[in-house]
Amino acid sequence: MPQLKISNRDARRLWLAAHGLSAPPRCDLETLALIRSLGFVQLDTIQVVSRAHHHILWSRDQTYREPVLDGLLATDRQVFEHFTHDASVLPMAFLPMWQRQFRRMKEKVGRSSWYGDALNADLLDTLMRRIADEGPLSTRDFDTRVDGPKEMWKRPPHKKALDYLWYSGELATSHRDGFTKFYDLAERVFPPDLRAVQLADQEQIDWLCHAALGRIGFGTLTDIRKFWDATEASEVSKWADQHTNALVPAEVQAADGTWSKVWACADIEARLSALKPATRLRILNPFDPAIRDRVRLKRLFGFDYTVEMFVPAAKRQWGYYVFPVLDGHRFVARIEIKADRSSKTLNVLNHWQEPGIAPSKTRTDRLNTELAKFARLADLDTVRWLCQSA
């Protein structure tokens, strides 16, 4: 039987479909179901317009509004926060499959010299006792100090100790006030029935690998491992050897015409048959799961993109926080936008067409429509172009 070959056009469509970006944004999808289908949603502090986690959800359901996620976390206890490749929100139903990740992160952080001054038994015991007695607390409720000169990345011991206890699963995020995280005992946040489930490590690894491949559709073993970043390369390799019946060998064409070998999910043929052209124009968040792997993004879409918020202003090629613009299955532009909350205005600071993309009034109209919808997510009333209109 000849090996399955996936053209670049189909690969792009598969990728966008797998990430909920091929069809128009839905208005009937519950936020919890959306998070479950994505696997997780990355958290980020930066609020240029709306924070990354809210923007990611809104991109797929434009009726979504920011308080919904807060309710799922703090009131309904249907999601929890922990670390995938970065701090993320995950469905609470995944908790049994996350127990070894708590252990992995505890061991990883415990080996880090950066945490050394925080991991003393007295400090950890003090934090746990205060939270047990007083209820959810934030870093503002403690007052240890940084020794020596203040530097950008230095943090006081109590902040690092709280992180360690959170990584290890002894503390959990109770709720947030704005973006300030409040820590509580995990036993008071995580449902008892889910905490009681005990799965062997291999069961958890199998689930993580199957769930990752199902959510990306195709990829290398490295892609599968990096999805959750909760397994080791050797564990994924062993999983692949033991589950060949669930893997379809395939070749995928890159944007430059080259081909590479991947594994595809068992229902890849059905997914290919169901593909439809993507027609929607979208403003994506820099941390959207469809584009967070910049190497894969360039390989599949020919779109060379990076974030520059940590690059000195004088060295930036584009801007502090620049959003990719996706039209159908092509990235056609980059746009720098920023909320002015005092005037309830979304300001367009810069706009750049991608090479080979001709100006189009139709596309400009669609971009303006999308900007107006994005503004409403951030409770803004007006869109104002401060640069030449697209």
Side-chain angles (χ1 to χ4, degrees):
M1 180 177 179
Q3 189 170 69
L4 178 67
K5 296 177 78 72
I6 304 172
S7 70
N8 182 247
R9 185 191 68 170
D10 283 349
R12 294 184 189 207
R13 291 177 175 176
L14 279 169
W15 189 255
L16 295 175
H19 288 84
L21 293 174
S22 60
R26 295 176 60 176
C27 299
D28 60 345
L29 187 62
E30 291 184 354
T31 300
L32 180 61
L34 178 50
I35 297 171
R36 188 177 189 121
S37 70
L38 292 173
F40 62 88
V41 174
Q42 182 176 337
L43 293 162
D44 194 68
T45 61
I46 299 173
Q47 187 175 230
V48 171
V49 180
S50 181
R51 289 190 174 97
H53 37 290
H54 298 307
H55 186 180
I56 290 165
L57 293 168
W58 173 86
S59 291
R60 293 151 175 87
D61 175 5
Q62 292 188 342
T63 65
Y64 169 83
R65 291 298 181 265
E66 296 181 1
V68 174
L69 185 58
D70 297 330
L72 290 176
L73 174 70
T75 305
D76 302 333
R77 299 296 193 212
Q78 291 186 316
V79 298
F80 70 99
E81 294 183 4
H82 204 250
F83 206 83
T84 56
H85 69 291
D86 211 319
S88 301
V89 174
L90 300 103
M92 188 67 79
F94 292 0
L95 187 68
M97 284 72 77
W98 212 251
Q99 297 302 321
R100 68 185 301 273
Q101 177 70 339
F102 291 134
R103 298 199 308 271
R104 290 178 77 249
M105 294 304 299
K106 181 177 182 177
E107 293 168 3
K108 180 178 179 179
V109 173
R111 292 193 301 267
S112 170
S113 59
W114 192 77
Y115 284 88
D117 60 340
L119 304 187
N120 71 75
D122 287 343
L123 176 58
L124 295 174
D125 183 61
T126 296
L127 298 181
M128 291 292 287
R129 278 191 296 103
R130 280 198 58 191
I131 291 171
D133 293 343
E134 300 174 39
L137 298 176
S138 77
T139 58
R140 298 171 183 171
D141 294 303
F142 302 91
D143 59 1
T144 63
R145 298 285 186 265
V146 173
D147 291 332
K150 289 186 178 180
E151 297 175 4
M152 177 183 290
W153 298 111
K154 276 194 173 182
R155 303 177 71 204
H158 72 268
K159 287 190 175 182
K160 292 191 281 187
L162 286 168
D163 274 352
Y164 170 75
L165 293 167
W166 179 82
Y167 282 127
S168 69
E170 295 176 63
L171 294 179
T173 306
S174 165
H175 63 282
R176 286 183 180 268
D177 182 1
F179 200 69
T180 300
K181 179 162 64 175
F182 281 76
Y183 301 83
D184 200 357
L185 302 181
E187 64 205 54
R188 296 200 296 225
V189 174
F190 297 150
D193 58 330
L194 293 177
R195 279 172 52 84
V197 176
Q198 297 294 318
L199 298 178
D201 278 11
Q202 191 58 52
E203 289 182 82
Q204 295 180 55
I205 292 167
D206 289 350
W207 183 90
L208 290 165
C209 292
H210 282 298
L213 184 57
R215 283 167 175 80
I216 61 177
F218 62 88
T220 63
L221 295 184
T222 298
D223 292 331
I224 294 169
R225 183 193 66 78
K226 287 169 65 177
F227 181 83
W228 305 103
D229 200 12
T231 52
E232 304 299 328
S234 59
E235 294 170 338
V236 178
S237 180
K238 179 182 176 182
W239 167 81
D241 289 341
Q242 295 176 341
H243 294 86
T244 53
N245 61 323
L247 305 175
V248 177
E251 287 189 80
V252 171
Q253 187 182 35
D256 64 3
T258 60
W259 294 81
S260 58
K261 295 183 182 298
V262 297
W263 293 107
C265 54
D267 65 345
I268 188 66
E269 295 278 9
R271 294 193 189 198
L272 284 166
S273 298
L275 283 181
K276 295 179 181 179
T279 58
R280 181 78 181 206
L281 184 142
R282 302 173 189 264
I283 301 166
L284 293 186
N285 189 271
F287 301 108
D288 193 283
I291 66 172
R292 69 177 177 85
D293 186 327
R294 314 303 186 199
V295 174
R296 184 170 51 206
L297 176 65
K298 185 175 181 180
R299 185 171 69 244
L300 273 184
F301 293 89
F303 186 58
D304 192 0
Y305 175 74
T306 188
V307 293
E308 297 181 304
M309 60 278 290
F310 301 119
V311 176
K315 296 184 177 181
R316 289 177 192 143
Q317 180 180 2
W318 306 102
Y320 173 74
Y321 205 90
V322 174
F323 298 80
V325 179
L326 176 70
D327 191 3
H329 64 272
R330 295 189 303 168
F331 286 91
V332 297
R334 303 159 200 250
I335 191 166
E336 186 178 14
I337 48 183
K338 185 176 182 180
D340 180 350
R341 299 182 199 283
S342 63
S343 64
K344 302 197 74 171
T345 300
L346 181 63
N347 289 323
V348 181
L349 307 180
N350 285 294
H351 176 270
W352 303 269
Q353 295 277 134
E354 283 299 288
I357 301 297
S360 161
K361 183 181 183 306
T362 299
R363 183 178 294 121
T364 298
D365 291 344
R366 292 162 65 215
L367 176 58
N368 279 315
T369 298
E370 198 72 357
L371 285 166
K373 292 178 180 178
F374 193 22
R376 288 197 287 274
L377 172 66
D379 196 27
L380 307 173
D381 296 333
T382 307
V383 175
R384 178 173 59 186
W385 285 78
L386 301 181
C387 63
Q388 182 175 351
S389 180

